[in-house]
Amino acid sequence: MRLRNITGSREVIADSRYVVKEEIQCGCPGRWREIFGNDSPIHIEIGMGKGKFIHTMAKEHPHINYVGIEKYSSVLLRAVRKMEQEELANLKFLRMDAEDIGKVFGAGEVGRIYLNFSDPWPKDRHAKRRLPSREFLARYAVILEQGGRLEFKTDNRDLFEFALGELEPAGWQADAVTYDLHSEESMAEGNVMTEYEEKFSGLGNPICKYVIHYGGPRP
Ligand code: SAM
């Protein structure tokens, strides 16, 4: 998602108390408990867009701390505006490229990672940019706690097949896989819809989802 540049969005993001400041992001590993002021588990969404999913999750699960990560200020601005209307103590935002995720979370610091409707990057030469690629899975394996889970949803069948193919070479294993989330009761229970999920399921597209864990040697 790349919204038109919104004048002033960078300034709003830089001033917002909901967004962890860029200059202190590198000091974040090991300090999330201090940032939230409690010991609750930390769950993150990478590529959160306008933040509907993570805002709803944070509201429904007040004893989990959520961190929403988004690359573009113009998109993150929408999530910040939502927080201004309905502030949640257990939700913070990071404006960053997920490539640097290892600089912001320490080893085993994250309990759950959500990837929702990640950009497909259809050209082969851009495969490394896909958020469920083996390159990204290697980064997630470091920050995810032992027994932690990663959940990925998309309506893009090609991206989903690619993502499934990345698991074994990256040392990950699937706990659950569906090609039609909304008609599979056990997996759909408690499902929180994202903006893209509402849009594409509304068009009749089935939603694919996996839940995976890292099963390789601890990096
Ligand atoms: N998750 C939302 C949803 O399901 O409605 C938004 C999906 S949108 C297709 C993908 C989002 O991921 C965009 O907002 C994009 O800017 C963000 N994104 C893509 N690559 C990213 C990266 N490397 N780091 C952080 N955010 C990224």
Side-chain angles (χ1 to χ4, degrees):
M1 184 189 305
R2 186 83 193 264
L3 296 179
R4 193 171 36 83
N5 251 352
I6 297 176
T7 314
S9 59
R10 277 187 175 273
E11 291 72 16
V12 173
I13 299 307
D15 288 346
S16 172
R17 66 179 183 282
Y18 310 124
V19 183
V20 178
K21 303 276 170 286
E22 287 187 37
E23 60 272 21
I24 66 166
Q25 282 181 10
C26 285
C28 284
R31 286 190 51 218
W32 284 100
R33 274 157 185 66
E34 191 188 320
I35 291 167
F36 281 106
N38 59 49
D39 282 344
S40 299
I42 294 166
H43 294 187
I44 69 176
E45 184 187 8
I46 302 178
M48 69 165 178
K50 299 176 194 167
K52 176 180 181 286
F53 171 84
I54 202 160
H55 196 277
T56 310
M57 291 293 281
K59 207 164 131 180
E60 288 184 1
H61 305 282
H63 301 300
I64 293 172
N65 292 326
Y66 289 89
V67 181
I69 297 165
E70 172 53 50
K71 194 166 164 181
Y72 296 111
S73 302
S74 54
V75 184
L76 175 54
L77 181 65
R78 305 292 186 96
V80 167
R81 292 299 189 214
K82 199 168 168 56
M83 276 282 267
E84 286 166 357
Q85 285 164 10
E86 191 176 14
E87 188 168 338
L88 299 172
N90 60 329
L91 175 59
K92 298 274 180 216
F93 302 126
L94 289 167
R95 197 211 59 77
M96 61 176 284
D97 191 315
E99 266 186 20
D100 293 327
I101 197 94
K103 295 182 185 159
V104 176
F105 296 98
E109 208 169 16
V110 174
R112 191 159 295 231
I113 299 173
Y114 295 99
L115 305 178
N116 291 317
F117 296 80
S118 306
D119 293 334
W121 291 107
K123 292 186 178 138
D124 283 348
R125 69 173 189 276
H126 292 147
K128 285 183 185 176
R129 297 185 192 176
R130 298 173 190 152
L131 292 180
S133 67
R134 67 189 71 185
E135 288 79 8
F136 274 98
L137 288 175
R139 297 177 178 111
Y140 307 148
V142 177
I143 63 171
L144 198 61
E145 69 184 25
Q146 191 104 40
R149 294 288 184 272
L150 184 153
E151 300 191 9
F152 171 50
K153 291 194 278 190
T154 182
D155 69 318
N156 186 314
R157 188 73 181 243
D158 288 344
L159 180 64
F160 193 62
E161 296 292 357
F162 165 83
L164 285 171
E166 293 294 89
L167 299 183
E168 201 194 320
W172 290 69
Q173 287 158 15
D175 302 299
V177 178
T178 177
Y179 287 87
D180 193 357
L181 173 64
H182 295 176
S183 58
E184 211 160 302
E185 219 175 295
S186 60
M187 281 186 84
E189 201 189 331
N191 182 51
V192 170
M193 298 259 261
T194 79
E195 268 113 4
Y196 272 63
E197 187 171 356
E198 278 183 348
K199 181 174 166 189
F200 291 113
S201 63
L203 294 173
N205 297 3
I207 306 302
C208 306
K209 175 174 179 176
Y210 70 40
V211 180
I212 60 171
H213 68 273
Y214 179 63
R218 295 313 292 173

